[in-house]
């Protein structure tokens, strides 16, 4: 007999559902639903008391309506009445309603909590289970407060029924996840761990989820679970398929529990106890052996269950990464699965192999499967599987197989699914760079990438190829030749035109000897693409043209003519027009010498992390990028000598004209910013916007060319913050007074004081010249989010500052909530007619609102433990940039605003501090620990800084700020 | 952890949705639609796993699904669950439904949403697996039915009579919706 007999439903409900299902249109359906909602509302509000049966019927109707996607904003009260009833049917439907339509109304929760309390103490197992389910489903803090103490008791009590124990275990887990601070396991720990030995497999199944979660958060306290889990696993693995009766699933003994046991073990390193370890290795071997046995059933469920255990065992072997023998067996097993006819197994094998590829013991073994994986990439019907294959190829790539893998990925790109193209492009670009032995191969690869998937090649990718070509002399000629050839194609991607324009503009001379690529041919080729390109590309091409005039004087007349044409010099786009005008003027007035200096070859780019890698990380999330670029030595070489890089930096800092907002090649931090932009500031791509040319534009100014100021409207906008503004800000993290900024004209001093969440800052602007500043204005602004986090008020200053005089300004600051960015201070004035425009970061940082808190060691560690969630902690390990003088360190920590706690840390070398950050809407307690390794050689000295606070953003920000101080 | 369990038919009509993390009602509906869109466009016989949609956490989460006759059963899980294990769990769930409803079909899920919720609650609680043993689950469900019947005994004869004329059973989609989800020859 079926467990649910079909007849005993509620007629009214069935009729209603049928009505809905017979509706011919959406409108009719909505009309019917509204009618029903009105009916139910009136029934609920009516004078006549409804019996339990009717209530149940109406609540069921509401559930059905909710499932169809309609909001239900009433019925909660009736549900609470139902769940308080003594009848099972009513109670059950009431709980169901509350679980599906969770409502955070606290009055309601209080009533529900009362009913739950009654049910928990009812000793009726069914009622207890219903109540526990409800707590687990709602999981709110109020519920945790009410029941976190009670549930562990139910869980470990000797007389609790098994089914209730199961529910209690998962209920507790849910509360722990939602409010870990309220669930204190302390005294229960050992009894909970021993649930792994429970007679009833269902209890073990439920308890293991709880234990796994608790172990991952407090591994030390739950360490004893390892040996218990191993012996339980061993009993299951070695049992005959019939021993476990109902827990045998398609001839596999307790597959679910086995998987969970293997997962639990992955929270720990390999067992230290030899006997336990031996037993575990035996289990793992048995599991691997079983995979080779003939199946006991042809049903897919049998092999699924068996393989579920096998894959978990392999994950554990990979996690331990210490048993070469097992690792190789695991790898061979996965190799078999790669060719299995079940798609699911191929998918999982590719995924597991990805993690295996990073183990040194098995990397080589994984590599032997390269042909199979390439084949998977080419022939799998399912895009999810192909994506895993691409991931694995990326993970198994090294110097020996890079060319093959990159070639395969490139050819796959031609037909790849749109959804994964961009990621594939980034991966190809990274592998090509990382494993490039000869850079002509690298250039070929990237140009192919642009040819095949130009639309998916992001800015970072083509910036990077240019960085590398510029930094490596040996590849420049080849790059020019290849890009010239690529541009011959009748239709080429705009990204190709950008790379072509840039490279020919710099290195076109290297191929000009060949009559087939004479200067004029090169120019005509580039110019034939000009009209099909977007404005930024055209701007780049114009810059390439002026570089041509320098490289090849014979093209001067032709190019000048192009620049002079109406379509350039009167172009409606301001940027293009300005470039055309300026370049034309430059080419006709400047002497060859000047021209050669101004348009000199780009200096090498300073080394930095590949922007492509950063982009892939962003796309996939940290941890997803297993291949890291190799370290400094090789990369330094790649980017040319350090001396040349240094020169570029000096050139950059000498330049008086700033770079526009262009972030070509991510050089922003090296580019000086501060005055009016030479050519309209908003252009994205500008060949001349970087270090070398910036230096040359100084000389342009000296010669009196191009001195006509850019459109004044643009210059009235506040300049972007000075590149050094972050450094200036860092100087004030641990002190409140000092000189914030100084140049030849102006000095800005600061005095500030803070109390609670309020602060007052005095700014002193000193005119260092003998000439007055006119139109002197200062503005303080809070960009973006900061607006709602800080309240900043200023009084305007006098617009005139006499030579040698000083003016003062008061700024009042109120901290509303915690914040990261600093307010910006923009200062504008005219000095001898020239507009000065400086933006600095105002040194208002979150730590200014610290109140020191003294506490004893016991208190400190108790609080430290309470803040043990991973997101509450921020940690940094960094090199000491100053000496480790105890007094200086102490002064800095006190300057931070926290209390420095003596005799708390057991290691007297360490420093611990505590403080509370006061904001208007909340107080954030914050604990700090700084561990120096003072014994190390100077130059090797490191710190480990750990911050814990009740708010993740605060921990991170204070950690970031403080890490710059030592 | 299991983030959500969704059942919808071949046309995307939800038949059961159970979320173990809190989303607004609006988002829940969008997640159902997005999931249907992702799952329904896949061929038969491709693999049963795919990355979750953007709304439910993107590549952090996996969708693990099975298609039975007219219904999709989709479990959205995080990386702490075994993919094949969840496939087994879906199978246990459907087999249990089949035992409880005798040749379960879509229609049973429509008219007995509360029962389906109860059966699910015996297997999964707060996103974690409570019980995987089908007999144990059915024992619990049976016990509940007994209690229900004893409470409704005075009405019981009335329901029996009505059941013959339950409107859904003769509706226009009768044939499609009565396709059993499982091939009847299960062990």
């Amino acid at each position: 007999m079926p467990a649910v007999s079909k007849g005993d439903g509620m007629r009214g409900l069935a009729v209603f559902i049928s009505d809905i299902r017979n509706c011919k249109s959406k409108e009719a359906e909505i009309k019917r639903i509204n009618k029903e909602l009105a009916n139910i509302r009136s029934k609920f509000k009516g004078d006549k008391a409804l019996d339990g049966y009717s209530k149940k019927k109406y609540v069921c109707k509401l559930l059905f309506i909710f499932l169809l996607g309609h909001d239900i904003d009433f019925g909660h009260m009736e549900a609470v009445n139902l769940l308080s009833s003594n009848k099972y049917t009513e109670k059950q439907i009431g709980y169901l309603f509350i679980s599906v339509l969770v409502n955070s109304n606290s009055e309601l929760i209080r009533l529900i909590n009362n009913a739950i309390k009654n049910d928990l103490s009812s000793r009726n197992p069914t009622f207890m289970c219903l109540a526990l389910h409800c707590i687990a489903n709602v999981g709110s803090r109020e519920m945790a407060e009410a029941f976190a103490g009670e549930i562990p008791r139910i869980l470990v009590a000797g007389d609790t029924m098994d089914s209730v124990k199961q529910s209690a275990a998962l209920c507790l887990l849910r509360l722990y996840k939602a409010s870990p601070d309220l669930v204190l396991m302390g005294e229960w720990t050992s009894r909970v761990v021993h649930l792994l030995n429970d007679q009833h497999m269902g209890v073990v199944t439920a308890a293991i989820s709880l234990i796994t979660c608790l172990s991952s958060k407090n591994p030390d306290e739950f360490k004893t679970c390892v040996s218990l889990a191993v012996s339980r696993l061993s009993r299951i693995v070695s049992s005959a398929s019939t021993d476990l009766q109902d827990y045998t699933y398609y001839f596999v003994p307790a597959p679910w529990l086995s998987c969970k046991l293997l997962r639990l073990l992955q929270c720990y390193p390999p067992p230290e106890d030899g006997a336990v370890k031996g037993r575990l290795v035996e289990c793992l071997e048995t599991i691997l052996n079983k995979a080779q046995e003939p199946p006991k059933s042809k049903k897919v469920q049998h092999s699924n269950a068996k393989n579920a255990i096998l894959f978990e065992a392999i994950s554990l072997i990979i996690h331990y990464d210490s048993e070469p023998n097992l690792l190789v067996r695991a790898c061979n097993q996965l190799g078999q699965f790669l060719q299995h006819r079940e798609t699911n197994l191929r998918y999982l094998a590719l995924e597991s192999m990805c993690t295996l590829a990073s183990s040194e013991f098995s990397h080589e073994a994984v590599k032997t499967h390269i042909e199979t994986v390439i084949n998977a990439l080419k022939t799998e019907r399912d895009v999810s599987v192909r994506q895993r294959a691409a991931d694995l190829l990326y993970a198994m790539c090294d110097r020996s197989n890079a060319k093959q893998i990159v070639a395969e990925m490139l050819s796959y790109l031609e037909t790849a699914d749109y959804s994964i193209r961009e990621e594939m492009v980034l991966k190809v670009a990274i592998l090509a760079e990382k494993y490039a032995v000869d850079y002509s191969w690298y250039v070929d690869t990237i140009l192919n990438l642009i040819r095949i998937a130009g639309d998916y090649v992001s800015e970072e990718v083509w910036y990077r190829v240019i960085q590398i070509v510029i930094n490596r002399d040996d590849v420049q000629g080849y790059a020019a030749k290849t890009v010239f050839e690529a541009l011959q194609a009748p239709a080429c991607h705009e990204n190709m035109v950008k790379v072509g324009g840039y490279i020919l503009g710099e290195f076109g001379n290297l191929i000009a000897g060949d009559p087939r690529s004479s200067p004029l041919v090169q120019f005509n080729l580039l110019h034939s693409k000009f009209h099909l390109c977007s404005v930024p590309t055209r701007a780049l091409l114009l810059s390439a043209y002026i570089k041509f005039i320098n490289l090849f004087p014979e093209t001067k007349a032709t190019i000048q003519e192009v620049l002079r044409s109406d379509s350039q010099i009167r172009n409606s786009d301001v940027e293009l027009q300005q470039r055309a005008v300026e370049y034309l003027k430059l080419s006709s007035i400047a002497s060859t010498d000047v021209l050669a200096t101004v348009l000199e070859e780009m200096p090498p780019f300073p080394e930095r992390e590949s922007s492509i890698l950063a982009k892939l990380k962003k796309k996939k999330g940290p941890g997803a990028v297993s291949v890291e670029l190799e370290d400094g030595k090789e990369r330094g070489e790649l980017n040319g000598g350090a001396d040349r890089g240094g020169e570029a930096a000096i050139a950059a800092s000498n330049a008086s004209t700033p770079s526009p907002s262009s972030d070509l090649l991510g050089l922003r931090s090296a580019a000086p910013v501060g005055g009016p932009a030479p050519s309209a500031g908003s252009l994205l791509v500008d060949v001349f916007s970087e270090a070398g040319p910036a230096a040359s534009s100084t000389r342009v100014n000296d010669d009196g060319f191009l001195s006509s100021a850019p459109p004044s409207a643009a210059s009235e906008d506040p300049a972007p913050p000075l590149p050094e503004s972050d450094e200036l800000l860092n100087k004030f993290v641990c002190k409140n007074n000092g000189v914030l900024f100084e140049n030849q004209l102006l000095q800005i001093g600061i005095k500030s004081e803070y109390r609670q969440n309020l602060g007052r800052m005095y700014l002193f602007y000193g005119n260092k010249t003998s000439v007055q500043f006119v139109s002197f204005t200062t503005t303080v602004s809070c960009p973006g989010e900061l607006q709602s986090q800080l309240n900043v008020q200023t009084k305007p200053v006098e617009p005139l500052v006499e030579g040698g005089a000083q003016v003062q300004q008061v700024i009042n600051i109120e901290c509303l909530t915690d914040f990261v960015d600093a307010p910006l201070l923009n200062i504008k004035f005219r000095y001898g007619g020239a507009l000065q425009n400086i933006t600095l970061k105002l040194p208002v940082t979150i730590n200014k609102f610290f109140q020191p808190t003294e506490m004893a060691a016991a208190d400190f560690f108790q609080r430290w433990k309470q803040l043990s969630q991973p997101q509450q902690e921020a940690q940094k390990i960094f090199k000491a940039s100053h000496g480790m003088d105890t007094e200086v360190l102490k002064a800095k920590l006190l300057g931070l605003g926290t209390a420095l706690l003596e005799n708390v840390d057991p290691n007297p070398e360490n420093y611990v501090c505590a403080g509370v950050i006061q904001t208007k809407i909340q107080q954030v307690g914050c604990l700090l620990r700084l561990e120096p390794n003072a014994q190390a050689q100077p130059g090797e000295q490191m710190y480990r800084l750990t911050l814990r606070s009740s708010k993740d953003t605060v921990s991170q920000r204070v950690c970031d700020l403080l890490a710059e101080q030592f | 952890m299991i983030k959500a369990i969704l059942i919808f038919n071949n046309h995307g009509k939800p038949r059961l949705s159970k979320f173990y993390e809190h989303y607004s009602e609006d988002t829940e509906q969008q997640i159902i639609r997005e999931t249907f869109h992702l799952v329904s466009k896949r061929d038969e016989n491709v693999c049963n796993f795919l990355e979750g949609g953007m709304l439910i956490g993107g590549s952090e989460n996996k969708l693990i699904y099975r298609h039975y006759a007219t219904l999709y059963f989709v479990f959205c899980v995080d990386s702490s669950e075994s993919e094949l294990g969840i496939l087994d769990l879906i199978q246990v769930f459907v087999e249990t439904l089949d035992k409880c409803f005798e040749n379960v079909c879509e229609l049973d899920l429509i008219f007995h949403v509360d029962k389906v919720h109860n059966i699910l609650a015996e297997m999964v609680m707060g996103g974690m697996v409570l019980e995987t043993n089908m007999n144990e689950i059915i024992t619990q469900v049976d016990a509940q039915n007994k209690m229900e019947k004893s409470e409704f005994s005075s009405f019981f004869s009335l329901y029996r009579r009505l059941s013959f004329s339950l409107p859904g059973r003769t509706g226009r989609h009768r044939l499609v919706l009565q396709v059993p989800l499982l091939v009847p020859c299960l062990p």
Side-chain angles (χ1 to χ4, degrees), chain A residues 703-944:
Chain A
D703 282 341
F705 297 127
L706 301 181
S707 59
S708 62
S712 60
S715 63
E716 292 295 336
D717 290 331
L722 291 178
E724 64 269 32
S725 58
D726 275 316
E727 203 182 306
L728 298 174
L729 178 82
N730 283 331
K731 272 180 20 191
F732 283 84
V733 168
C734 294
K735 63 176 186 178
N736 285 337
N737 307 326
V739 174
L740 175 65
F741 172 79
E742 186 158 22
N743 65 8
Q744 278 136 7
L745 309 178
L746 178 72
Q747 185 193 53
I748 306 175
I750 279 194
K751 264 189 175 173
S752 48
E753 52 194 2
Y754 293 87
R755 182 166 304 156
Q756 303 283 350
N757 68 324
L758 301 175
R760 174 167 294 172
M761 184 180 274
Y762 298 88
L763 289 171
F764 303 91
Y765 303 98
N767 181 345
K768 289 168 65 181
T769 68
S770 51
V771 184
Q772 59 178 210
F773 295 162
V774 292
S775 316
F776 189 86
T777 55
T778 66
T779 37
V780 177
S781 61
C782 293
E785 259 188 290
L786 195 59
Q787 232 161 21
S788 57
Q789 297 166 333
L790 273 190
N791 197 351
V792 180
Q793 288 173 332
T794 51
K795 285 203 185 104
V797 284
E798 286 295 319
L800 213 64
V801 186
E802 291 297 340
Q806 192 181 57
V807 293
Q808 179 188 333
Q809 185 176 30
V810 184
I811 299 177
N812 289 317
I813 302 150
E814 186 189 17
C815 176
L816 303 175
T817 180
D818 73 294
F819 60 96
V820 173
D821 290 330
L824 296 180
L825 170 68
N826 175 253
I827 303 134
K828 275 196 271 236
F829 57 91
R830 287 191 180 275
Y831 167 68
L835 179 75
Q836 304 292 320
N837 186 347
I838 300 165
T839 302
L840 298 164
K841 291 195 174 170
L842 212 54
V844 180
T845 46
I846 183 68
N847 63 294
K848 300 292 180 199
F849 303 95
F850 258 130
Q851 291 280 107
T853 316
E854 292 290 347
M855 57 176 83
D859 280 348
F860 181 89
F861 282 109
Q862 193 199 349
R863 287 178 204 212
W864 184 261
K865 269 195 188 147
Q866 280 167 358
L867 298 169
S868 61
Q869 276 181 281
Q871 67 271 25
Q872 292 174 330
E873 183 185 274
Q875 191 172 69
K876 273 200 174 173
I877 298 175
F878 53 92
K879 263 207 163 116
S881 24
H882 311 282
M884 286 186 172
D885 184 330
T886 317
E887 286 321 304
V888 175
L889 283 180
K890 281 187 179 168
K892 281 189 176 165
L893 288 169
L894 286 172
L896 186 73
T898 49
L900 184 59
L901 307 177
E902 303 281 1
N903 304 325
V904 166
D905 200 300
N907 179 352
E909 300 280 350
N910 295 346
Y911 302 88
V912 291
C913 304
V916 177
I917 288 180
Q918 308 275 344
T919 74
K920 190 175 177 194
I921 62 164
Q922 66 185 144
Q923 300 189 344
V924 183
C926 200
L927 304 175
L928 174 160
R929 188 179 195 195
L930 180 70
E931 301 162 84
N933 66 343
Q935 286 76 30
Q937 296 292 319
E940 304 271 334
Q941 289 181 323
M942 306 277 286
Y943 290 102
R944 178 164 70 183

Side-chain angles (χ1 to χ4, degrees), chain A residues 1-11 13-15 17-18 21-24 26 29 53 56 60 63-64 66-72 86-90 92-93 96 99-102 124 126-127 129 132-133 136-137 163 166-168 170-171 173-174 177 200 202 205-206 209 246-247 249-250 255-256 259-260 263 299-301 303-305 307-308 311-312 343-345 347-348 351 381-385 387-388 620, chain B residues 1 13-22 25 28-29 42-51 59 62 66 79-89 91-92 95 99-103 105 107-108 110-115 117-119 121-122 124-126 128-136 138 140-142 144-145 147-149 151-152 155-156 159-160 162-163 165-169 171-173 177 185-187:
Chain A
M1 152 141 198
V4 179
S5 58
K6 297 192 183 190
D8 54 352
M10 287 162 284
R11 184 156 202 280
L13 175 66
V15 170
I17 294 175
S18 298
R21 290 169 28 72
N22 287 326
C23 284
K24 296 266 184 291
K26 192 81 194 162
E29 184 186 308
Y53 168 74
K56 180 180 167 184
C60 276
L63 277 176
F64 184 78
F66 178 74
L67 183 66
L68 291 176
H70 299 266
D71 277 2
I72 302 292
N86 282 326
K87 280 192 175 158
Y88 166 73
T89 39
E90 293 172 13
Q92 177 259 328
I93 202 82
L96 176 60
S99 312
V100 175
L101 284 112
V102 181
N124 173 337
T126 315
F127 287 8
C129 282
L132 289 167
H133 270 276
N137 273 313
S163 60
Q166 283 170 273
S167 301
L170 293 186
C171 184
L173 170 56
R174 177 57 193 253
K177 279 184 181 168
H200 191 276
T205 303
S209 292
D246 287 349
Y247 285 88
Y249 175 84
Y250 290 90
W256 183 271
C259 287
K260 287 287 167 184
R263 277 277 161 136
K299 286 239 184 304
V300 64
Q301 283 82 8
S303 68
N304 257 0
N307 292 327
F311 273 107
E312 285 308 323
T343 317
N344 286 341
L345 296 182
Y347 175 97
L348 293 174
E351 194 176 58
R381 286 199 301 138
D382 185 350
V383 57
S384 329
V385 184
Q387 176 145 21
R388 290 289 94 82
K620 294 286 279 184
Chain B
M1 172 188 179
K13 273 257 182 239
R15 293 307 179 205
L16 176 112
S17 69
K18 179 78 195 156
F19 288 84
Y20 294 101
E21 282 196 335
H22 191 71
E25 288 164 24
E28 288 186 1
Q29 291 297 324
R42 292 169 62 82
D43 294 338
E44 293 291 327
N45 301 323
V46 296
C47 78
N48 297 89
F49 325 124
L50 66 156
E51 285 185 358
S59 57
K62 277 210 176 89
R66 260 176 192 265
S79 62
S80 70
E81 300 290 347
S82 149
E83 288 90 346
L84 292 172
I86 294 287
L87 272 187
D88 287 344
L89 194 68
Q91 179 72 15
V92 171
E95 284 183 26
K99 282 250 167 68
C100 294
F101 287 104
E102 223 174 359
N103 290 342
C105 61
L107 216 51
D108 295 316
I110 299 175
F111 284 96
H112 300 282
V113 168
D114 55 329
K115 295 258 166 21
H117 269 289
N118 285 348
I119 294 168
E122 294 300 327
V124 180
M125 180 170 166
M128 305 306 287
V129 172
L130 185 64
E131 181 58 80
T132 56
N133 174 356
M134 186 158 54
N135 291 337
E136 192 84 15
I138 291 174
Q140 296 291 338
V141 175
D142 271 336
Q144 290 164 13
N145 284 326
M147 291 171 72
E148 196 165 318
K149 276 191 190 131
E151 283 174 12
F152 273 148
F155 296 105
F156 189 56
Y159 293 138
R160 269 312 254 279
L162 286 173
S163 71
S165 58
L166 260 183
R169 292 252 153 205
R172 62 195 158 97
H173 299 303
L177 296 182
C185 61
L186 275 164

